[in-house]
Amino acid sequence: QVSCAVEQPIVIGLAADSGCGKSTFMRRLTSVFGGAAEPPKGGNPDSNTLISDTTTVICLDDYHSLDRTGRKEKGVTALDPKANDFDLMYEQVKAIKEGKAIEKPIYNHVTGLLDPAELIQPPKIFVIEGLHPMYDERVRELLDFSIYLDISNEVKFAWKIQRDMAERGHSLESIKASIEARKPDFDAFIDPQKQYADAVIEVLPTQLIPDDNEGKVLRVKLIMKEGIKFFNPVYLFDEGSTINWIPCGRKLTCSYPGIKFSYGPDTYFGQEVSVLEMDGQFDRLDELIYVESHLSNLSTKFYGEVTQQMLKHADFPGSNNGTGLFQTIVGLKIRDLYEQIIAERAGVPAEAAKV
Ligand code: ADP
Ligand code: G6P
């Protein structure tokens, strides 16, 4: 019986600094699972939770033990483990994994206060996104798959400026100051989690434009750990080989500075990984099918599914580059992982457990 899925969710961890594309990634992921995620109906309008038919995404900011005033008084940032309740996080993620509902606190981003708890039912797929999904060893052990979005400082800066200056009216100086103020805690508590991730999406400035500092064209790496059960890394042309590919021939329109793919084995924090890299951006998203046709182990259900997903969300940030492409691919890999876990539990072939 495949229905045991409802009772025992699989748990996914997504770690990144704030403003690094977690919510965009979540929208791509829930779309792969076939439905947009919405805030809980009739609940606190400031809830950070998103629910779809299959997936519930909670934001780990809800486990802040110190509210905004408390953090200010104690002189700690939200990144500091002292401002977060890992015991409660562990208990509740464990409860969900055992198929039990939880009363999860809500951190209200508008007021900076902790609001009354909300009831969260166990879904099929439970995603914990935030600053610390892989920080606490007990929580880490509960994760069936983990992802770290590693946005380099240069790119983070460019995105923050774009958002906080354009949309929130902050000054350049104040943005610089807030990034600098967070950096020591980011380096101490957030960044080290990437060594535990099963997949890392690393976002760097392009190497195709000499001395580029605009941060518009990106070089994006998808770092995939080897030897993870139910996760077979994607490859380009020939599994395990080292490949450089500039696909700007007759089939792909590339304006300056072009597109470059690389693929090959590597090590990451002493562990074997496969790395797929894309530098540059697509001019025409529909031509992505040409790139897709050269990638293997994509876990698609039909030819062109990656391209279809990318076209469907062409308006999301990063749809013309490796960030959107690799987020979409990781979404498909998670769907595959889910189906295989469920099939194994039920003792049936993976085909029978497809969503
Ligand atoms: P988070 O949930 O981690 O705070 P969001 O997904 O809300 O991050 O993204 C924050 C901002 O970062 C977006 O409004 C956008 O300006 C920028 N951003 C996110 N992802 C990308 C991307 N792939 N390419 C360019 N900008 C991006
Ligand atoms: C959330 C975010 C943090 C951010 C904080 C604001 O917890 O995840 O990244 O720093 O809100 O904190 P502040 O102390 O400025 O209210």
Side-chain angles (χ1 to χ4, degrees), residues 23-254:
S23 32
T24 310
F25 188 5
M26 282 304 111
R27 286 195 290 163
R28 290 191 197 276
L29 178 74
T30 47
S31 167
V32 165
F33 277 97
E38 313 267 352
K41 288 194 180 65
N44 183 336
D46 291 324
S47 165
N48 304 306
T49 303
L50 290 171
I51 300 177
S52 76
D53 288 350
T54 51
T55 313
T56 294
V57 183
I58 65 156
C59 172
L60 295 178
D61 287 348
D62 290 335
Y63 294 100
H64 283 337
S65 50
L66 296 173
D67 62 12
R68 195 170 287 156
T69 316
R71 294 198 293 274
K72 218 165 247 160
E73 279 170 8
K74 294 231 161 60
V76 297
T77 70
L79 310 160
D80 192 317
K82 288 202 283 292
N84 296 278
D85 187 345
F86 287 100
D87 291 342
L88 185 63
M89 190 191 294
Y90 167 63
E91 273 165 34
Q92 297 205 329
V93 177
K94 184 163 172 283
I96 286 283
K97 197 159 180 169
E98 289 166 355
K100 299 174 191 149
I102 55 170
E103 287 278 349
K104 182 190 60 54
I106 298 176
Y107 175 70
N108 187 319
H109 283 96
V110 182
T111 62
L113 298 169
L114 287 153
D115 283 354
E118 62 184 350
L119 181 68
I120 303 288
Q121 297 289 352
K124 289 184 175 165
I125 299 137
F126 188 60
V127 185
I128 59 172
E129 64 98 343
L131 297 168
H132 306 97
M134 286 97 92
Y135 181 83
D136 184 283
E137 197 186 337
R138 298 165 302 170
V139 179
R140 206 158 67 220
E141 289 292 311
L142 295 170
L143 301 176
D144 292 291
F145 195 76
S146 55
I147 307 126
Y148 186 92
L149 297 183
D150 188 6
I151 314 298
S152 65
N153 288 326
E154 296 96 319
V155 175
K156 205 188 281 187
F157 192 60
W159 287 1
K160 261 219 155 27
I161 288 176
Q162 185 188 316
R163 183 179 76 173
D164 292 357
M165 263 175 100
E167 295 166 26
R168 300 185 178 178
H170 299 183
S171 72
L172 189 59
E173 278 63 43
S174 73
I175 297 167
K176 275 190 186 153
S178 88
I179 291 180
E180 284 308 312
R182 288 170 65 93
K183 197 156 183 320
D185 281 355
F186 175 78
D187 291 343
F189 308 121
I190 312 305
D191 192 63
Q193 293 176 90
K194 63 191 181 194
Q195 65 189 291
Y196 304 116
D198 298 317
V200 176
I201 297 179
E202 194 175 313
V203 184
L204 302 151
T206 182
Q207 287 182 333
L208 300 174
I209 306 171
D211 302 318
D212 174 69
N213 50 19
E214 257 194 278
K216 288 233 167 67
V217 182
L218 301 173
R219 176 163 77 106
V220 187
K221 289 172 134 183
L222 174 58
I223 301 163
M224 298 162 281
K225 238 177 225 173
E226 294 290 344
I228 306 291
K229 198 175 179 194
F230 300 137
F231 175 64
N232 298 319
V234 174
Y235 66 89
L236 179 63
F237 294 119
D238 181 19
E239 192 164 20
S241 294
T242 298
I243 310 271
N244 279 305
W245 183 40
I246 298 177
C248 304
R250 296 199 182 151
K251 297 273 174 61
L252 202 73
T253 316
C254 293

Side-chain angles (χ1 to χ4, degrees), residues 328-340:
T328 302
I329 291 176
V330 172
L332 293 166
K333 300 303 293 184
I334 291 176
R335 183 181 65 189
D336 192 27
L337 179 106
Y338 166 77
E339 289 176 351
Q340 293 191 60

